[in-house]
Amino acid sequence: MAERTPVKGPRRPRATASMADVARLAGVSSQTVSRVSNGYAGVNEETREQVLAAMKELGYRPNSAARALKRGEFRTIGVITFSLSSTGNVRTLEAIATSAAAEGYAVTLLPVAVPTQDEVRGAFSRLEELAVDAVIVIMEVHLLDAATIMLPPYVQVLVVDSDAGEHYTVVDTDQAGGSRTAVEHLLGLGHHTVWHLGGPEDSFAAQRRTDAWRAALAEAGRTPPPLIRGDWSAESGYRAGLELAAQQDCTAVFAANDQMALGLLRALHERGRRVPEDVSVIGFDDIPEAGSFLPPLTTVHQDFAEVGRLCVQAVLRKVRQDDPERGTTLVPTRLVIRESTAPPSSPGR
Amino acid sequence: MAERTPVKGPRRPRATASMADVARLAGVSSQTVSRVSNGYAGVNEETREQVLAAMKELGYRPNSAARALKRGEFRTIGVITFSLSSTGNVRTLEAIATSAAAEGYAVTLLPVAVPTQDEVRGAFSRLEELAVDAVIVIMEVHLLDAATIMLPPYVQVLVVDSDAGEHYTVVDTDQAGGSRTAVEHLLGLGHHTVWHLGGPEDSFAAQRRTDAWRAALAEAGRTPPPLIRGDWSAESGYRAGLELAAQQDCTAVFAANDQMALGLLRALHERGRRVPEDVSVIGFDDIPEAGSFLPPLTTVHQDFAEVGRLCVQAVLRKVRQDDPERGTTLVPTRLVIRESTAPPSSPGR
DNA sequence: ACCCATGATGTTTACGTAAACATCAGCCAC
DNA sequence: GTGGCTGATGTTTACGTAAACATCATGGGT
């Protein structure tokens, strides 16, 4: 009778060849296999070929767990994000993954469903057991401090979208510069002042865009109109737009992101205020769809790819050289002028 | 003189306590620490507390590499995506990550920059060395076959957006059902026929939406107008829209995604064709912004969260039970009726 | 002819964990 | 009281890799 395999036995054996198997087949020691596998010099060409042949025949793949254990590093970066709802986060994540791959690092995703203290703490505590050498946090960090305490000390942390430059290394888009550009563009067209449709209070990015808007107006000697707040969504932009449409003296609006600008455009259209003839609208992000809005949206272009690239560079510098550097790196923006901005029909001042 | 630390020594020692350290401090064997760490019963309450105290004092964290090596599994799922450009892929990915986390699995991201055979092959070969138990592929799979051959045999593969049901397990949105619903909605409003703005040729999702559109028209005894193709982008929708605006007999368009619908709306607006009075437009996906288009877009809602959840469930079933099942699971869609569709002003037929 | 540097390869060991097996005290049944 | 059973804990071992060290030819220099 044939030997039967256990029905509910523990785990079926990995059908994977190990170095020892390869070594046996090739008639060499497992150390020589290791040398070939890692591309060390000092292996006879003939021997190397034999080993390679044996690897191929057995379908040998190095076991990354054993490697990580031996090397003491995982070649993996963990990324914590508060959902992937915003285009910006996603594009940054994508750039991080791509850059990391180019450096031979993998990226492990740690989604935090709800941005509560508990949830963030939970993500970090899952992280503790996780196979990562470093962590990049893409989210507002005011919930972060309590959580990071729980991180193993060797894990490097890097943050996007934060004012935590003193405590962490931060890479981010130059929110202030971008906002200033937006405001100055509108003022330069002759608008008397610029209204602002801001993002949610708990976002540092939103906060900085709002601050810069105020500062740019103040510098030009204009009085900032009352701040209107949305939550990044197009829907909230629509609601805000209904308010703004009622303001007859409003000729220029700077929306803190493109989605809200989209909702804004819809509200203005519904209320019969033409863009850009009656009201100029400018956005932030330059999402791919922005050029297809009605009308095509003038907006501040963010270089997410660059942000992601810098994140990986910085965090790997930390991992590899134990670089203790703190501080903030800003990535410049670029104004993309389309058709939603124009001089006011009755110039201000 | 103080002993100096090596300057360019190999890697600085992990400042992490091991089980042995904890065991020493607690005055027990490391096996007992292991038992406590893994929550086994059969440890004296008093002993357990001592061990826990020692763990806390030393800041002990289990080493996941050693664990993975011992257990023979990584508790990690790899996800291969062809960029994160499309909303659908991103939302699916997010749901996968969330579901996986709930099951105690991590998700490792494997972006493929360009969908060439070489790139895909490259991603898979990186994957070979990677610490994953299973792989979920979110991309068109006609490039897949050659690549999967290189996968270690124990890695389970699951595919989204594919017609590869015979070879792989597939989870996907019911593209055909959704498209049929869209077409029937428009026909039901009284439109004589429905034009279609399809996605790129190399996308199976696009292909299926197009096929279902044709089938639904055929079933209703209508002749399908010539197919117009875009590439998913709003810009391509705009270009297609300019063409369609010239077709005076076109009163209803089914766009294969919301972004193209957005561009379409802009083109129709520019050419003075009112939506929905002159032309009804329906999209696919129900992206968050769809309700803020001009006019708000009627569209086919996809349940990405459910797709992601099912992916994780299915792939874990394979991992845990070696479930060899093949075949396709379809997730139903839901029609969201907004303002971009209405009966034709001069009813057809 | 001899020494030693050099290159090629083999042997030992350790990484941290957890399964398998071993030990040992206490206790109940007869 | 003795045998065996149970529960609590310790000891051994193996997972696959790669650094450190050991071995052993070969060959050039003197």
Side-chain angles (χ1 to χ4, degrees):
Chain A
M1 191 180 210
E3 204 180 12
R4 54 177 172 170
T5 45
V7 173
K8 46 180 300 185
R11 186 149 299 278
R12 65 190 179 283
R14 250 320 131 71
T16 303
S18 72
M19 278 193 167
D21 300 322
V22 176
R24 208 170 303 123
L25 180 61
V28 298
S29 76
S30 65
Q31 184 55 37
T32 299
V33 178
S34 171
R35 284 191 264 257
V36 172
S37 174
N38 290 357
Y40 279 97
V43 177
N44 191 317
E45 189 52 37
E46 201 177 323
T47 315
R48 147 177 270 105
E49 308 242 312
Q50 270 175 8
V51 171
L52 289 175
M55 281 182 171
K56 193 164 186 185
E57 181 173 342
L58 295 176
Y60 169 76
R61 302 293 161 208
N63 178 311
S64 49
R67 261 196 182 167
L69 175 58
K70 192 79 186 81
R71 299 207 268 225
E73 56 170 8
F74 301 98
R75 303 268 167 94
T76 297
I77 299 171
V79 177
I80 297 190
T81 75
F82 161 42
S83 100
L84 300 177
S85 47
S86 95
T87 329
N89 287 359
V90 171
R91 309 243 324 260
T92 305
L93 171 64
E94 184 178 10
I96 287 173
T98 307
S99 304
E103 297 276 353
Y105 273 69
V107 166
T108 288
L109 213 53
L110 289 140
V112 176
V114 200
T116 63
Q117 184 89 21
D118 275 357
E119 273 284 334
V120 175
R121 205 193 302 267
F124 272 84
S125 85
R126 256 176 287 138
L127 191 59
E128 285 170 359
E129 310 209 343
L130 221 57
V132 299
D133 302 308
V135 173
I136 297 174
V137 180
I138 312 184
M139 65 185 298
E140 292 72 30
V141 286
H142 54 296
L143 297 169
L144 196 57
D145 289 328
T148 42
I149 303 169
M150 302 166 65
L151 272 183
Y154 58 82
V155 173
Q156 305 290 338
V157 178
L158 185 137
V159 175
V160 183
D161 183 14
S162 153
D163 64 350
E166 322 158 41
H167 305 300
Y168 302 101
T169 298
V170 174
V171 175
D172 203 354
T173 293
D174 183 5
Q175 315 284 357
S179 304
R180 170 175 307 271
T181 313
V183 172
E184 286 170 355
H185 171 64
L186 292 168
L187 294 181
L189 287 172
H191 293 275
H192 179 60
T193 191
V194 176
W195 290 63
H196 179 54
L197 171 46
E201 271 181 279
D202 58 4
S203 159
F204 280 101
Q207 196 55 56
R208 277 204 300 281
R209 291 174 199 181
T210 299
D211 292 347
W213 158 71
R214 276 213 192 84
L217 283 182
E219 224 167 79
R222 314 299 166 89
T223 320
L227 169 68
I228 302 185
R229 243 190 236 290
D231 62 8
W232 293 137
S233 75
E235 180 56 31
S236 74
Y238 175 74
R239 287 193 302 268
L242 294 179
E243 277 185 57
L244 278 168
Q247 306 286 339
Q248 281 307 323
D249 59 336
C250 168
T251 67
V253 185
F254 165 41
N257 77 346
D258 290 350
Q259 274 89 0
M260 292 198 295
L262 174 66
L264 180 60
L265 291 176
R266 181 180 150 221
L268 292 174
H269 175 85
E270 275 189 11
R271 292 302 151 97
R273 313 245 354 215
R274 292 163 306 159
V275 177
E277 293 83 355
D278 301 330
V279 183
S280 283
V281 173
I282 196 166
F284 205 111
D285 284 353
D286 193 24
I287 64 176
E289 290 81 19
S292 297
F293 287 1
L294 275 178
L297 187 69
T298 297
T299 187
V300 178
H301 179 88
Q302 289 202 59
D303 192 347
F304 295 110
E306 179 68 3
V307 171
R309 213 178 54 75
L310 290 176
C311 280
V312 171
Q313 274 194 354
V315 87
L316 287 188
R317 206 179 318 124
K318 281 161 156 288
V319 167
R320 302 211 257 236
Q321 295 154 30
D322 209 5
D323 179 357
E325 167 202 343
R326 297 280 179 277
T328 300
T329 306
L330 292 184
V331 177
T333 59
R334 177 165 53 81
L335 184 66
V336 179
I337 300 178
R338 297 204 181 89
E339 298 162 31
S340 68
T341 48
S345 34
S346 53
R349 195 141 254 182
Chain B
M1 193 183 207
E3 204 178 13
R4 55 177 170 166
T5 46
V7 173
K8 46 180 300 183
R11 187 149 298 277
R12 62 189 180 285
R14 248 323 129 70
T16 302
S18 73
M19 279 194 166
D21 301 321
V22 176
R24 209 170 301 124
L25 180 61
V28 298
S29 76
S30 65
Q31 184 53 38
T32 299
V33 177
S34 171
R35 284 191 265 256
V36 172
S37 175
N38 291 0
Y40 279 97
V43 177
N44 192 318
E45 189 54 36
E46 201 176 325
T47 316
R48 146 177 271 104
E49 308 243 310
Q50 270 174 9
V51 171
L52 288 175
M55 280 180 175
K56 191 163 186 185
E57 182 173 342
L58 295 177
Y60 169 77
R61 303 291 162 209
N63 178 313
S64 48
R67 260 196 183 169
L69 175 58
K70 191 77 183 89
R71 298 208 268 225
E73 57 169 7
F74 300 98
R75 303 268 166 94
T76 297
I77 299 171
V79 177
I80 297 190
T81 75
F82 161 40
S83 102
L84 300 177
S85 47
S86 97
T87 329
N89 287 0
V90 171
R91 310 241 325 258
T92 305
L93 171 63
E94 184 177 12
I96 287 173
T98 306
S99 304
E103 297 276 353
Y105 274 70
V107 166
T108 288
L109 212 54
L110 289 138
V112 177
V114 198
T116 62
Q117 184 89 19
D118 275 357
E119 273 285 333
V120 175
R121 204 193 302 268
F124 272 84
S125 84
R126 258 177 286 138
L127 189 61
E128 286 169 357
E129 310 210 341
L130 221 57
V132 299
D133 302 308
V135 173
I136 298 175
V137 179
I138 312 183
M139 65 185 299
E140 292 72 26
V141 286
H142 52 296
L143 296 171
L144 196 57
D145 289 327
T148 44
I149 303 169
M150 302 166 66
L151 272 181
Y154 58 83
V155 172
Q156 306 290 338
V157 177
L158 185 138
V159 175
V160 183
D161 182 15
S162 153
D163 64 348
E166 323 158 41
H167 304 300
Y168 303 101
T169 298
V170 174
V171 175
D172 204 354
T173 294
D174 183 4
Q175 316 284 359
S179 304
R180 170 177 308 272
T181 313
V183 172
E184 285 170 356
H185 170 66
L186 292 169
L187 294 181
L189 287 172
H191 293 274
H192 178 60
T193 190
V194 176
W195 291 62
H196 179 53
L197 171 45
E201 270 182 280
D202 58 4
S203 159
F204 280 101
Q207 196 55 55
R208 277 204 300 280
R209 291 174 199 180
T210 298
D211 291 347
W213 158 73
R214 275 213 192 85
L217 283 182
E219 223 166 80
R222 315 296 167 92
T223 321
L227 169 66
I228 302 185
R229 243 189 237 291
D231 62 8
W232 292 137
S233 75
E235 180 56 30
S236 74
Y238 174 74
R239 285 193 302 268
L242 294 180
E243 277 185 59
L244 278 168
Q247 306 287 340
Q248 281 307 321
D249 59 336
C250 167
T251 66
V253 184
F254 164 41
N257 78 345
D258 289 352
Q259 274 88 359
M260 292 196 295
L262 174 65
L264 180 59
L265 291 176
R266 180 179 151 223
L268 292 173
H269 175 84
E270 276 187 10
R271 292 302 152 99
R273 314 250 348 218
R274 292 164 306 159
V275 176
E277 293 83 353
D278 301 330
V279 183
S280 283
V281 174
I282 196 166
F284 205 111
D285 283 353
D286 194 23
I287 64 176
E289 291 80 19
S292 297
F293 287 1
L294 274 179
L297 186 71
T298 295
T299 187
V300 178
H301 179 89
Q302 288 202 59
D303 192 346
F304 295 109
E306 179 69 3
V307 171
R309 212 178 54 75
L310 290 176
C311 279
V312 171
Q313 273 193 355
V315 87
L316 287 188
R317 204 179 318 124
K318 282 161 156 287
V319 168
R320 303 211 257 235
Q321 295 154 30
D322 208 6
D323 179 358
E325 168 202 342
R326 296 281 179 278
T328 300
T329 306
L330 291 184
V331 176
T333 59
R334 178 165 52 81
L335 184 66
V336 179
I337 299 176
R338 297 206 180 89
E339 298 160 32
S340 67
T341 49
S345 34
S346 54
R349 196 139 255 186

